[in-house]
Amino acid sequence: MGENQFSRELRLLTPTHFENVFQQAVPAVSPQLTLLARANQQTHPRLGITISKKRVKKAHDRNRLKRVIRESFRLNQHDLPQADIVVVGKSGLSQLSNQQLFSLLERLWKKLSQRCNP
């Protein structure tokens, strides 16, 4: 059970961490989400999530989306490259059901893994 946690060390915590990813990112794009990744020096991937109030109006929708993203990351973290990953929400994201978002993230994790590990 311990290896599938979403602990503090698996998160991007400071604005500096996010800025580093935005500077030289490898993208995986869909109409609702953009995943940006940059190799890190850790032995594991780290996740940051940005979903703005402008794109997803209601707080309970933003919280639901973040929960699903974190859960998907937690389940797929062992297949992901050693990278800092930022998930950026776009307009229309709140229209997706949990299952649709989960399957979209599965495709984007695979695309990101292929691009980070040539």
Side-chain angles (χ1 to χ4, degrees), residues 2-97:
E3 61 190 41
N4 274 337
Q5 297 178 24
F6 187 64
S7 64
R8 186 173 175 85
E9 66 183 15
L10 295 176
R11 292 183 245 161
L12 297 177
L13 298 171
T14 66
T16 308
H17 293 156
F18 281 84
E19 288 171 13
N20 287 338
V21 176
F22 288 130
Q23 285 174 4
Q24 296 177 344
V26 174
V29 182
S30 78
Q32 295 88 6
L33 283 174
T34 298
L35 272 61
L36 302 170
R38 183 177 182 186
N40 66 24
Q41 303 302 317
Q42 268 86 38
T43 59
H44 49 79
R46 296 190 303 175
L47 178 69
I49 302 171
T50 62
I51 300 175
S52 71
K53 192 187 261 189
K54 182 178 180 181
R55 303 289 177 215
V56 180
K57 300 284 187 221
K58 298 187 177 179
H60 66 271
D61 284 333
R62 288 193 302 277
N63 293 336
R64 175 185 65 87
L65 295 167
K66 288 189 270 189
R67 274 196 306 274
V68 173
I69 292 167
R70 282 193 300 264
E71 181 66 10
S72 177
F73 174 80
R74 187 183 70 79
L75 294 173
N76 290 290
Q77 67 186 348
H78 300 293
D79 300 328
L80 296 173
Q82 296 177 10
D84 292 340
I85 302 168
V86 174
V87 178
V88 181
K90 296 181 182 176
S91 298
L93 182 59
S94 61
Q95 309 306 319
L96 297 178
S97 70

